[in-house]
Amino acid sequence: MSFAGKTLRELENSGLRRQLRVHSGEILNFSTNDYLNLSSHPLVRKRAIEAVELFGAGAGGSRLMAGNLSLHEDLERELALLTGMKTALVYGSGFLTNLGVLTSLAGRNDVIFSDRLNHASLVDGATASRAEVRRYRHGNVEHLSDLLRSSGSVGRKIIVTDSVFSMDGDVAPLRDIHKLSTAEGCLLVVDEAHAIGVFGSGGGICKELGICPDVITGTLSKALGGYGGFAACSAEMREYFVNRSRSFVYTTALPPASVGSALGALEVINSTPGMGSSLLDLAADFRKKLVETGFDVNGSASQIVPVVIGESPAALSLSRSLEDKGVLAVAIRPPTVPSGTARLRFSVTLAHSSDDILRTVSELERL
Ligand SMILES: Cc1ncc(COP(=O)(O)O)c(C=O)c1O
C-alpha cells in the first residue's frame, strides 16, 4: 500500500479522516463563517458584478507589477477606517496575510510568543519565519510574562494572538497583553479574523477596547462574506510589508470581484448599525440555552460556540445524527483542536432565527 493510502487508513481507524462534502442549501447551517449572512446580500453581489464589469475577472498581476487597481486602494482606505488603524494592506487571503506578516516581522534572531490555540496560519507563519517560537498557555498573561522575562534574545520580540479563537469562541485578554507588550518593548500582532464585522461596531475587539497593536490582521472571508485578507497598521509598516512580505509581493493581486464584494459588505455594515451586536445577542441566547441544558461551551464569548464532546468518533457520530435532523454542525477533531477535545463547532449567524436556536438546542438535548 502507498504511504498515502496507509496514512488515510490510519486516519480512518482513529476517526480522524476528513472528507470533502457538498452540503445542500436546505440544511440549517451552523458551520458557516458567513456570520452576517452577507455572502448572498444583494448589494454585496451587485458590487462584485460591477467590479468585474469595470475591471475584469482578474487583476492581471501582482500589486507591484500591473495588478494594483484603484479598487484595492479604495478597499484599504475603508478597512483602515473600519479598524481605526492608519492604513491597511490587502492580501490574497487571511492565511496569506498571517504568513506574510509574521515572516516579514520576524527572522532567525527573533522570538515569537504565540498563544497555544492560535490559528494554523499564525502557527505556520511563525514557523516559516525561522524565529524561535515560544508558545504560552492559552490566554494566560502570567505565563506569557514569564516567557518574555526569561527570554535572553537580543532580537525582536513579537507577541501574536487571535482576538476571538476560532475553535473555542473565547476572547484573548487583549488589554493585559497590550499592556505587557508595551512594557516589554514587543511588537504585538492581533488576528481579528472572527471579530471583524461583529465586535466593536464591526471594527473588531482592539477598536472596541481602544487598543492599537502594531498590526491587526483580518479576513474578508468570514463576516464580510467574500474572500481575501488584510493587515491594518501604520503607514510605515504598510510600506514595509509592501517591500518585505513575500506572500504580498510574489502573488497575483486579489481579483476585482472579491474586492468589490468586500466594499459592498463594508457599505452594508456601515449603513446598518447594530448587525454585530444583534448577532452577539443571538449567540448569547444560544449559549445560555445550551448551558441550561447541561452542555459545556468552553468559555465561548462570541458567535462561535463549541460543544465539547471528547473523543473524535463520538463527536462525529453526534454531528451525523444532528445532520439527519437537518442541522449542520461539523465535528472538529485533532489536530485542529487538542486531543480529547473533539467538538461540534456551532457558528451562530444572522440567518438564524430564535426558533432555529430553540430547535437546535432541543435536538442536541434529545440526541
Ligand atoms: C483566526 C483565523 N485567522 C486566519 C484565518 C484564515 O483566513 P482565510 O480563510 O481568509 O484564509 C482563519 C480561518 O480560516 C482564522 O480562523
Side-chain angles (χ1 to χ4, degrees):
M1 188 183 278
S2 72
F3 79 92
K6 203 162 155 254
T7 304
L8 288 170
R9 185 144 56 147
E10 283 163 12
L11 287 172
E12 184 75 47
N13 290 342
S14 46
L16 295 177
R17 183 163 172 175
R18 305 173 196 226
Q19 252 143 359
L20 288 173
R21 300 181 54 205
V22 177
H23 297 287
S24 87
E26 296 302 301
I27 203 152
L28 185 53
N29 189 348
F30 279 94
S31 283
T32 175
N33 293 322
D34 185 11
Y35 301 127
L36 303 179
N37 202 25
L38 288 181
S39 74
S40 54
H41 191 287
L43 186 73
V44 177
R45 291 177 193 233
K46 183 165 177 267
R47 293 289 182 253
I49 292 165
E50 285 169 357
V52 172
E53 282 171 351
L54 212 56
F55 294 95
S62 69
R63 295 280 296 278
L64 283 166
M65 300 297 281
N68 191 38
L69 307 176
S70 56
L71 208 60
H72 290 118
E73 300 199 354
D74 292 345
L75 176 58
E76 289 170 347
R77 269 189 295 277
E78 287 301 322
L79 289 167
L81 284 174
L82 181 77
T83 53
M85 301 292 277
K86 287 275 186 289
T87 63
L89 185 67
V90 167
Y91 284 72
S93 72
F95 199 111
L96 288 173
T97 307
N98 284 335
L99 197 64
V101 163
L102 291 187
T103 51
S104 53
L105 288 182
R108 274 190 203 287
N109 299 320
D110 304 322
V111 189
I112 293 179
F113 299 86
S114 176
D115 187 291
R116 262 185 207 284
L117 295 190
N118 274 345
H119 186 257
S121 53
L122 292 172
V123 173
D124 288 2
T127 307
S129 75
R130 301 179 195 180
E132 181 191 347
V133 181
R134 307 207 68 186
R135 299 195 314 154
Y136 60 91
R137 288 196 278 278
H138 177 51
N140 190 326
V141 181
E142 219 166 284
H143 190 216
L144 169 60
S145 170
D146 289 346
L147 292 184
L148 273 167
R149 289 182 182 139
S150 65
S151 163
S153 164
V154 288
R156 274 195 288 275
K157 296 179 183 180
I158 299 143
I159 301 174
V160 184
T161 183
D162 286 1
S163 63
V164 173
F165 288 86
S166 54
M167 296 300 142
D168 292 79
D170 59 340
V171 173
L174 287 174
R175 249 194 253 279
D176 291 342
I177 292 176
H178 181 252
K179 207 190 284 176
L180 183 62
S181 172
T182 308
E184 295 291 321
C186 303
L187 287 170
L188 176 60
V189 177
V190 179
D191 180 347
E192 295 251 46
H194 295 278
I196 294 293
V198 178
F199 285 82
S201 309
I205 299 183
C206 290
K207 187 176 181 191
E208 187 171 42
L209 299 177
I211 288 170
C212 184
D214 297 282
V215 186
I216 289 174
T217 62
T219 174
L220 311 176
S221 68
K222 301 189 191 299
L224 303 192
Y227 193 70
F230 70 93
C233 51
S234 68
E236 189 178 59
M237 190 67 93
R238 180 180 183 277
E239 282 304 298
Y240 177 79
F241 291 143
V242 167
N243 282 276
R244 279 280 183 268
S245 196
R246 293 166 67 86
S247 64
F248 173 83
V249 175
Y250 297 106
T251 190
T252 301
L254 194 68
S258 297
V259 186
S261 81
L263 277 163
L266 293 179
E267 257 182 271
V268 177
I269 289 170
N270 291 334
S271 61
T272 327
M275 286 179 102
S277 52
S278 304
L279 174 64
L280 291 172
D281 287 347
L282 197 62
D285 184 41
F286 184 47
R287 289 198 303 271
K288 182 165 168 274
K289 289 189 168 61
L290 283 171
V291 170
E292 281 167 5
T293 316
F295 288 104
D296 171 12
V297 297
N298 220 25
S300 162
S302 69
Q303 74 282 10
I304 300 168
V305 184
V307 170
V308 178
I309 304 298
E311 294 312 315
S312 297
L316 211 52
S317 147
L318 180 60
S319 170
R320 286 189 181 137
S321 308
L322 207 55
E323 194 170 342
D324 289 341
K325 301 287 173 201
V327 178
L328 180 67
V330 172
I332 310 288
R333 295 161 283 164
T336 307
V337 292
S339 75
T341 72
R343 65 198 64 186
L344 303 198
R345 174 190 185 268
F346 290 85
S347 27
V348 179
T349 77
L350 286 186
H352 299 138
S353 65
S354 302
D355 280 353
D356 294 335
I357 298 280
L358 261 179
R359 185 183 136 210
T360 303
V361 175
S362 64
E363 288 295 359
L364 262 173
E365 187 179 14
R366 258 181 0 87
L367 287 166

